[in-house]
């Protein structure tokens, strides 16, 4: 019997460096990351099916109706959602899956999958966040302002996460996240051992009438 993988939600402010850390976790530690669907326009260098599935608002809304998302949320004028099928398929194959999503979606996942490890990533400081968003150069000033305001709104939900991790250097942060996730995985009984094997081992002690 294949042991099930563990599901991890990584949230954090836009500009906290989630993307880079998650890439490190997939490249160096073998995690699977779910590719989300979004209605936002691709940034330069982004490819459909790699960073996101870029779809129209109409397509997104019809997939909501068809229960096609594990979770979805509106974020700064666009929809973002996790396709349900991919996550279940990978977990049952025994792969550890990461969702890099914002807080409203993260909390929906926590409701549906209480086993999920919830991690919130923060930059070393608020000033550093602003600096990173500006130097990324992918958004105009108005969008940056909206993303900073959204960061403040998101602080309300940090307490709902199991872990808050500071992202100062990518290597350190990824190693830290891997430790957290693998420790949590050990605590899950269906991952530790095959539960049926344990129960059957004790069956011979069953009292006969
Ligand atoms: P960006 O536009 O910078 O790629 O992403 C904006 C925000 O949307 C980020 O905080 C990112 O984590 C979040 N996000 C990306 N995919 C999903 C998703 O499938 N669901 C939810 N709820 N948020 C997502």
């Amino acid at each position: 019997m294949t042991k099930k993988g563990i599901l991890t939600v990584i949230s954090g402010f836009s500009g906290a460096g989630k993307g880079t850390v998650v890439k490190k976790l997939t490249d160096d530690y073998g995690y699977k990351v779910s590719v989300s669907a979004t209605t936002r326009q691709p940034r330069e260098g982004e490819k459909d099916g790699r960073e996101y599935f870029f779809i129209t608002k109409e397509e997104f809304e019809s997939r909501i109706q068809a229960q096609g998302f594990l979770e979805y949320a509106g974020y700064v004028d666009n929809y973002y959602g996790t396709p349900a099928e991919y996550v279940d398929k990978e977990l049952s194959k025994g792969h550890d899956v990461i969702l890099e999503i914002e807080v409203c979606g993260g909390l929906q996942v926590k409701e549906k999958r209480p086993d999920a490890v919830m991690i919130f990533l923060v930059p070393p400081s608020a000033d550093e966040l602003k600096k990173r968003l500006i130097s990324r150069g992918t958004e105009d000033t108005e969008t940056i302002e909206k993303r900073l305001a959204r960061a403040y709104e998101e602080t309300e939900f940090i307490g709902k996460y199991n872990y808050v991790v500071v992202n100062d250097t990518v290597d350190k942060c990824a190693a830290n996240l891997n430790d957290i996730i693998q420790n949590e995985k050990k605590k899950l009984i269906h991952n530790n051992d095959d539960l049926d094997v344990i129960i059957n081992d004790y069956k011979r002690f069953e009292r006969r009438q």
Side-chain angles (χ1 to χ4, degrees), residues 2-163:
T2 319
K3 288 173 187 162
K4 265 189 87 177
I6 190 165
L7 180 63
T8 300
V9 170
I10 299 184
S11 299
F13 311 130
S14 174
K18 285 170 296 187
T20 326
V21 172
V22 169
K23 187 166 185 317
K24 186 105 198 141
L25 286 169
T26 55
D27 291 353
D28 293 7
Y29 296 88
Y31 288 89
K32 297 281 174 187
V33 64
S34 161
V35 178
S36 300
T38 183
T39 58
R40 108 159 142 61
Q41 290 301 308
R43 294 185 185 127
E44 190 147 337
E46 285 184 335
K47 214 172 120 203
D48 188 46
R50 190 179 62 192
E51 280 79 15
Y52 285 104
F53 295 106
F54 295 98
I55 64 178
T56 63
K57 190 162 173 257
E58 290 68 33
E59 276 175 83
F60 201 102
E61 285 171 348
S62 77
R63 281 174 69 176
I64 295 174
Q65 296 302 323
Q67 317 275 334
F69 293 116
L70 170 61
E71 63 69 38
Y72 71 92
Y75 180 93
V76 187
D77 307 332
N78 283 296
Y79 279 130
Y80 295 79
T82 304
E85 210 184 299
Y86 174 86
V87 174
D88 289 329
K89 210 173 67 197
E90 292 300 324
L91 288 175
S92 60
K93 279 197 243 166
H95 296 148
D96 297 334
V97 178
I98 291 178
L99 306 181
E100 190 224 306
I101 62 182
E102 54 70 63
V103 287
C104 298
L107 298 181
Q108 291 170 47
V109 175
K110 192 178 176 181
E111 281 278 305
K112 288 191 187 164
R113 311 284 168 97
D115 277 355
V117 187
M118 306 288 296
I119 300 175
F120 198 94
L121 215 59
V122 291
S125 69
D127 276 344
E128 179 65 27
L129 180 70
K130 189 169 178 182
K131 223 165 71 189
R132 285 186 191 179
L133 273 178
I134 292 168
S135 67
R136 189 159 83 177
T138 49
E139 270 92 13
D140 57 31
T141 316
E142 196 196 330
T143 309
I144 290 174
E145 291 299 323
K146 281 190 187 174
R147 284 182 177 234
L148 288 171
R150 174 70 180 224
Y152 175 63
E153 286 161 25
E154 287 181 345
T155 56
E156 190 188 332
F157 301 100
I158 296 182
K160 307 240 183 241
Y161 281 70
N162 304 119
Y163 296 91

